[in-house]
Amino acid sequence: MANSGQKVVLITGCSSGIGLRIAVTLAKDEKKRYHVIATMRDLRKKDKLVEAAGDAYGKTLMLLPLDVCSDDSVKQCINNVKDRHIDILINNAGVGLLGPVESISIEEMKRVFETNFFGVVRMIKEVMPDMKKRRSGHIMVMSSVMGLQGVVFNDVYTASKFAMEGFCESMAVQLMKFNIRLSMIEPGPVHTEFETKMMEDVAKMEYPGADADTIRYFKDVYLPSSIDIFEAMGQMPDDIAKCIKKVIESNSPRFRNLTNSLYTPIVALKYADETGGLSVNTFYNLLFNFGPLMHITMSILKCLTCSCLRRRTI
């Protein structure tokens, strides 16, 4: 139970990766300003979180089961919070999907949207009425630079993040009237077990329905380039957690928060040309015409850019 003066923070998707680090970072706040409710679908996967939380577990951090894809689970979780009082909601749960779109079933696409889009919508719908009554609250959504700029072979994942960006941009306007803040967190590549496993798996998979050239472009061009970018520009989950803590503690939190300053010029390409040609042609040339040059550039960047700059948060 939260102590007087503590803010109640509910976080989705805390079994590993970014969600785990957010929960631990806030629970271990030196001033003990947060009472963290860490959630996950299966509490049998709690061991990593409990170990990382240490003495904070059972004091400033508690666990609740939550499946963001289930209306009943969402309602039950919020009802299990004292007085349904949540000061800060951090929507972190998400799934990825990578590969040629011809080989991806509609059911797989729906699964991504069910978690990445409708899962967030369910959570906001459940906590928003209580926040409106109190005229206070902060809703945070884990988006991505792919919610701002499309990336080849990430078509469906990108679409789910674009949808969430549009939804939140619309919601932010009405929530301001109720003194509720809404913030988007937009990381680039982040080194997690989930990302590593996904990259390993997709390299071995077959892609029925996709032509041979597309499969070759995906495996021989896109995947090596993606690995280069991860190694040169990737952040760690702790970097994202620190960024979120800064946004929470800001007197005037921004709506959009890019966590990696190296991505600012990439995103700016899209807004520099209203026709869209500049960003589309730039990414096409980088991937298909200047692939070897990009590999060299990423290698140089990895060597020259110190970790504090490469992982710098806002």
Side-chain angles (χ1 to χ4, degrees), residues 21-224:
R21 296 315 309 173
I22 297 170
V24 170
T25 297
L26 295 180
K28 289 188 173 182
D29 175 64
E30 291 182 357
K31 299 178 182 178
K32 293 182 170 55
R33 290 171 288 183
Y34 308 107
H35 175 73
V36 178
I37 303 170
T39 71
M40 60 188 72
R41 281 185 301 176
D42 186 355
L43 289 184
R44 290 174 296 183
K45 297 182 178 180
K46 68 181 181 180
D47 291 351
K48 288 182 180 179
L49 175 60
V50 171
E51 181 181 355
D55 293 340
Y57 179 60
K59 296 176 182 177
T60 55
L61 184 144
M62 64 173 289
L63 298 178
L64 283 178
L66 171 63
D67 180 359
V68 299
C69 296
S70 164
D71 292 349
D72 291 340
S73 178
V74 168
K75 183 172 290 294
Q76 183 176 350
C77 178
I78 302 305
N79 285 341
N80 283 334
V81 177
K82 187 178 186 302
D83 299 326
R84 291 175 54 94
H85 185 114
I86 295 170
D87 296 295
I88 303 167
L89 169 66
I90 302 178
N91 294 282
N92 168 73
V95 295
L97 187 61
L98 184 63
V101 73
E102 303 99 312
S103 63
I104 299 173
S105 70
I106 295 297
E107 288 305 313
E108 288 178 286
M109 297 181 188
K110 287 180 178 179
R111 180 179 62 86
V112 171
F113 269 82
E114 192 62 48
T115 301
N116 294 0
F117 180 74
F118 290 109
V120 177
V121 173
R122 281 189 188 90
M123 295 302 300
I124 292 177
K125 278 170 62 69
E126 193 63 33
V127 305
M128 183 171 60
D130 296 304
M131 287 184 172
K132 282 184 173 181
K133 289 176 185 176
R134 295 194 308 270
R135 291 296 199 273
S136 69
H138 194 170
I139 296 171
M140 308 185 75
V141 177
M142 187 64 64
S143 182
S144 167
V145 292
M146 292 190 204
L148 301 172
Q149 171 65 59
V151 175
V152 64
F153 293 120
N154 287 268
D155 319 84
V156 179
Y157 176 80
T158 293
S160 71
K161 294 299 184 180
F162 262 68
M164 184 46 56
E165 290 272 346
F167 175 83
C168 290
E169 189 172 302
S170 302
M171 286 296 306
V173 177
Q174 74 153 286
L175 292 177
M176 285 180 68
K177 194 67 177 175
F178 295 87
N179 194 37
I180 301 170
R181 299 163 175 171
L182 198 157
S183 299
M184 308 294 292
I185 308 299
E186 296 154 333
V190 181
H191 297 287
T192 65
E193 294 176 10
F194 168 78
E195 294 287 353
T196 302
K197 186 176 186 305
M198 184 172 68
M199 294 290 278
E200 291 175 350
D201 289 346
V202 296
K204 302 173 186 175
M205 290 171 59
E206 301 295 330
Y207 294 94
D211 59 272
D213 282 343
T214 298
I215 295 173
R216 179 168 58 83
Y217 295 145
F218 174 62
K219 290 189 174 183
D220 298 342
V221 179
Y222 168 78
L223 286 180

Side-chain angles (χ1 to χ4, degrees), residues 6-18:
Q6 281 185 322
K7 289 187 176 181
V8 178
V9 185
L10 189 142
I11 310 167
T12 67
C14 294
S15 61
S16 64
I18 295 173

Side-chain angles (χ1 to χ4, degrees), residues 259-308:
T259 70
N260 192 328
S261 59
L262 293 175
Y263 266 84
T264 303
I266 296 173
V267 174
L269 281 174
K270 181 174 181 177
Y271 298 98
D273 173 21
E274 72 277 8
T275 71
L278 179 60
S279 61
V280 171
N281 291 329
T282 297
F283 285 111
Y284 173 83
N285 284 318
L286 282 174
L287 190 62
F288 293 111
N289 291 337
F290 305 126
L293 178 60
M294 187 172 79
H295 175 75
I296 294 171
T297 302
M298 290 296 106
S299 298
I300 294 173
L301 182 64
K302 182 181 177 182
C303 293
L304 296 182
T305 309
C306 66
S307 61
C308 61

